[in-house]
Amino acid sequence: MSILSYRPYDFRELSDDIEELSRLYSFIQTEEIGRSVEGRPIWEIRIGEGTKKLHFNGSFHANEWITSSVLVSFIKEYAQALASGSSIGWVLAKKLWSEASLSVVPMVNPDGVELVINGPSAANEQQVKAINGEVEQFDGWKANIRGVDLNNQFPANWDIEKERKEPKSPAPRDYPGERPLSEPEAIAMAKLQQREQFDLMAAFHTQGAEFYWGYEGNEPEESRLLAEIFERVSGYQAVRFIDSHAGYKDWFIQEFQRPGFTIELGKGCNPLPLTQLEEIYIATRNICIAALLNAGT
């Protein structure tokens, strides 16, 4: 199985990878945690048996689909290392397996990813073109297929974002919806955390080569220590606070007071070009390993 995929990573690519991972590795578990607006499965991949429970996710935003690709690539490399009894990065894969249980939702927003990469379907063409101002290019689309920004959907000062965000109706980006957790994709992600009570969460986005680790002072001291480690292994800048609310990381920290991170991979304009894939993957892998190794310290 190839580690990196140098093609736009759409829902079919993800589905094929999940099928192959399940076939090759009996120690990998997959589960459908919900369905998108258009009925696509939102897949979760699980690996590891340790007591520390971590969760990573990608493609909350449609044109950030490269995050799905690198997260699945990490699962592939991790699984190969486990199967061969070798190391991943600087640590034995078996050590990570025995110490941590990892949950990954690689594509939170499959409908949006499909729109950005493959264009509208006959069923949704009229609706999405109207939301997009009749423009037929969808590279700037971040929202789900209904024009709701899934990372502005969570009840962490959602009313502030609702008031100040410029879009007041469905839009390609930034519209927080009519109420928190109105969208099935956001509901699935909230229910996942409420059910599983993960000890650490990292949401992978693009771009900026930086990451955010605080929210309203609710983050534990462990977050600072982990941020220092992530900064060192990735070369990305650690930023404690930004003027933003209603994101998944914000809600996670507010409600559970556990380490939560928004990781902004790469630099440039979304969708980031595949010429950055290897560099982005190295940063992603290093952060993932560091999180699995150091969570709970």
Side-chain angles (χ1 to χ4, degrees), residues 18-62:
I18 285 176
E19 182 178 347
E20 188 170 10
L21 284 166
S22 298
R23 179 177 61 82
L24 290 175
Y25 305 110
S26 60
F27 53 78
I28 286 181
Q29 299 175 324
T30 60
E31 182 181 352
E32 179 185 315
I33 65 163
R35 293 250 167 174
S36 66
V37 170
E38 293 189 323
R40 293 182 176 88
I42 301 170
W43 293 112
E44 179 195 28
I45 304 168
R46 288 183 174 267
I47 185 169
E49 61 178 10
T51 56
K52 298 185 293 187
K53 298 177 67 174
L54 288 78
H55 170 75
F56 305 152
N57 61 68
S59 290
F60 256 95
H61 288 145

Side-chain angles (χ1 to χ4, degrees), residues 97-142:
W97 165 272
S98 65
E99 292 184 0
S101 298
L102 175 61
S103 155
V104 179
V105 176
M107 192 175 289
V108 176
N109 184 7
D111 299 347
V113 169
E114 282 297 297
L115 176 63
V116 170
I117 294 176
N118 297 317
S121 66
N124 66 34
E125 184 173 10
Q126 185 175 353
Q127 174 192 8
V128 297
K129 281 185 178 178
I131 293 172
N132 208 38
E134 300 303 328
V135 176
E136 297 189 12
Q137 175 62 256
F138 295 94
D139 282 355
W141 192 283
K142 297 175 69 174

